[in-house]
Amino acid sequence: MKLIVLFLVSILSATTLSAEEKAVITGKVVSEATGDALIGARVFLKDQKKGAISKMGGKYRIKDITPGTYTLVCTYVGYQQFEVANINVGPGETKQINITMATKVTTTDAVVVTAKAIKNNGAALLKDRQKATAMSDAIGSEEISRGGSGDAGDAIKKVTGATTVGGKYVYIRGLGDRYASTQLNGAQLPSADPDKRSVHLDLFPTNLIENIVTTKTATPDKPGDFTGGAVNIATKSFPDKFRASISLSSSMNSQTTGKDMLTYGGSDTDWLGYDNGKRDIPAAVQEIINNPNAAVPYLQDTWMDPEKAQLLNDLTKSFDTQMSPTTTTAPIDRSFSANVGDQVELFGSELGYVASFSYGRKFKSYDNGLNAFYSLSGSAENVTSLTDDNKVTDKKSTDEVLWGAMGNLSYNLTQNNQISVNYMYNQSGESSARYQEGYDRYYGLDRTYETRVLSYVERAMSSLQFSGKHNMPSVLGSKLDWQVSISQNTQDEPDLRFFTNDYSIDEETGERRYDIDQSLYKYPSRYFRNLSEDLNSVNLNYELPLEDWVGNAFKFKTGMAYTEKTRSFQEFRFDIAQDRANYDGDADNFFKNNAGIIDSSSKFPRFGNYIQYYDPTKSSYDGEQTIGAGYGMIDWTVPYVSNFRIIGGVRYETTDITVTSRDTLKAVGNLAEQDWLPSVNMVYGFNDKMNLRFAFGKTIARPNFREFAPYSSFEYVGGYILLGNSDLQRTKIDNYDLRWEYFANPGEILAVSLFYKDFTNPIERVIINVNKEIQYQNVETASLYGAEFEFRKQLGFLGTWANNLQLGTNVTLVQSKVDISPEELKVIQAYDPNAKGTRELQGQSPFIVNFDFAYVNMESGTEASINYNIFGKRLSEVTQQGTPDVYEYSRPDIGLVFSQKLLDNLKLKISAKNILDSEVKKAQEFKGQEYITQQYSLGRSFSIGVSYSLD
């Protein structure tokens, strides 16, 4: 609350408007032919003595304007004079006027238009897209807000062809995280997930985001390791005048808020997204682990050594005794955000700054979940159904905190030189508690087993970026830009606790008889996992215009990039082994009252249960990855066909990945390759509103560190076990794209895209045996093809009553094919003679649909929208031995958002999500029957918030 009060005070005291309430006109000057920014254009008010020169990015700013009506004039050598008439600016207003300059023709008449404010941020993004070198889709901050998204993972679902899995991992055109790259302001980000390449998109609060652009076709100046798309998250840039805002909101979920949820004792700083050390390995244990001359005693070491017996007793009792979740009432979710920005004059030039902060805490819970594992058993000719090897009811609750802060400074050294520094830090902490109960055939059908998981996952991401843009008119008008990025992601899982037991019911008394059968399943255990990944990168691009030499628009661009990534992963494991302890059904009591020595009267001390330490080298590894790249490309408008543009060239990338287990007996994973990646994008402009695009490009997909790492890990007892594979190879992909796009009016588009992709050595996640072991493996070939349809339209053409209505929709249709190996196909067809010899790519949805219908009234400050999203049933897990694959079923998502300006600076916002109360469902199908492997509800969510802004 103190921070909020201080921020409000700073807002009220920091206004920079003068007593005369002067106005500002600002904007950007670009070339109509190429979309390039024009630096050095003269922009001034007609018949006035006020003006400015466009600087880096084509940006200009005319300040200290007396309120009134003006005509804005722009001139630039080689271009027609451009005039914007009837610009009305009010007291303290900042009016944005973007200028598109046409090249000179035989006539010298000026281009004159009437001022019309474009208030839809999507219009500017569509204009950039129209002139872009590659096929791309985007969503801006206004559209993100209108859709009610709280983070980038939620927002990107509105982009054509994009979905998310688990709210974190982006899938583009049906392709999973390995085929997408995520960048922050153009720089690659490290991953905090030990099992995936993808960056967690839910780490980025939408309050910090200016726009999200997804590039879908390759160009030589972009990294070559994306196939579905390259996602670039652009953080907010500094405004044209002082702006500040603060917002507060609360939300509830129909199946969580105010109801019982599972929890367990955490630390005093959980509300800040990190553990204060309460869950750390106890200091006494850590001291021994760090001492190469000491060791945690085994039980047999204590039989003849009282000192070691006492040591093992003390170490065992130093751990927290809670092993089972408790119940509490779930509170409401809440969030807070604030930002401030301005540009000021420093040493005769502009210094822009923006600072943002956001905080959110949300609770999720379900108690109606189901998890099951099925297999084929018996001779093929007699099997009519799947055998349920494992089936449990599932209860799970999470308490998640996410906060982020960002600061951005940008300074124009001169008209032609700009430097910037950007820092972002995001912190998240998720506490979860889980309880499952059911049966497992391996444990015996006469027993019911219980498993509990207490988990805390703490993630932090920091990114520091330095960049510069330099226009060099004296060097043939060339341009140079560079970027240096230093990023780190960490993930800690302190004291991850598993506790499994079984019970049977006495037929006579009805009493439960509890047991922990160490011969059938794992000991109760505790894991301490920590991951740190550092990524440092350098990018340099040089652009040389050769129009004067060639006679028409022609640019040559070259550059280099170097990325170095290192990862350190370490896992400490402690099992709670039994000596003479009996389990009475109370998991906490088992470790609390039975821990350590329970009888010291005999010759040998007797332990109830005790800690058993495992050598961490077997499940710890280090990874190193270096990628070097260089490229050359041209951007050429073909002579005599001024509306036909070719962007093409080649990129050369070297890859060196090494994953080394700290167990020297395990194989080293290594991948060293060199790739030439040519690409070409061709754009034919039928007119100034319609394009036809074609693209071809070679790209690659690399395995990640975890997939190489030779060790096994699991989520919960009875769940899948993930194994590494040191023999993985990279995937090579040929990409073909065709798109027709029509930009009818600002903010409107109609587009149709076709695409085809051919894969060599694609990597898939495969269930390799009935022991539920999963491994990533290469398959020989795969292919994917599909179509995208996008439509966005203002509905004013229906009549004045529809002037404030907007309609947008996009549909993606995808089909993929992977050839099943002859050996695997033989087993499958033994059970199902009609089985096909191909299947889909893992994670690929056959269709994705997004729809939004909005009412936007800028005069009354009213906005309302309905949003719909659905993906088609997609392959979740690939199985072997003939068992049917696991699919994730469709779930429609409908959301409503309403916002209303209450006062000049105050806005109310109300939203609802998952109105249909769709559930997560995964299942297998065999001989017309459905077998559910996972199912749980999400609940409906409702939120209300207010925001206050000053500008």
Side-chain angles (χ1 to χ4, degrees), residues 151 153-154 157 163-171 196 200-202 362 364 400 430 459 871 874 888 891 920 922 936 938:
D151 56 61
D154 193 24
K157 291 188 294 185
T163 61
T164 56
V165 175
K168 299 177 174 66
Y169 311 112
V170 62
Y171 276 55
K196 296 180 181 291
H200 282 192
L201 292 182
D202 62 344
K362 59 185 178 182
K364 296 179 182 179
E400 183 179 8
E430 181 179 277
R459 297 186 181 97
F871 62 84
R874 57 195 179 198
E888 181 178 4
R891 55 177 182 274
V920 174
K922 296 182 181 181
Y936 61 89
L938 297 170

Side-chain angles (χ1 to χ4, degrees), residues 321-383:
T321 60
Q322 185 173 7
M323 296 297 293
S324 183
T326 57
T327 302
T328 189
T329 300
I332 61 171
D333 302 344
R334 55 267 197 186
S335 64
F336 160 76
S337 66
N339 61 73
V340 60
D342 195 6
Q343 61 171 289
V344 296
E345 191 168 297
L346 180 66
F347 305 123
S349 194
E350 293 86 7
L351 171 69
Y353 70 87
V354 63
S356 296
F357 175 81
S358 68
Y359 174 88
R361 188 173 186 179
K362 59 185 178 182
F363 303 86
K364 296 179 182 179
S365 185
Y366 64 81
D367 59 9
N368 59 351
L370 171 69
N371 283 83
F373 188 89
Y374 298 90
S375 66
L376 286 169
S377 60
S379 58
E381 61 272 13
N382 296 324
V383 174

Side-chain angles (χ1 to χ4, degrees), residues 84 149 227 291 483 504 544 589 624 749 761 765 768 808 920:
V84 186
S149 302
T227 299
N291 186 349
Q483 185 181 67
S504 59
L544 179 65
N589 184 61
E624 295 182 2
I749 186 173
N761 293 326
R765 192 170 184 253
I768 60 177
V920 174

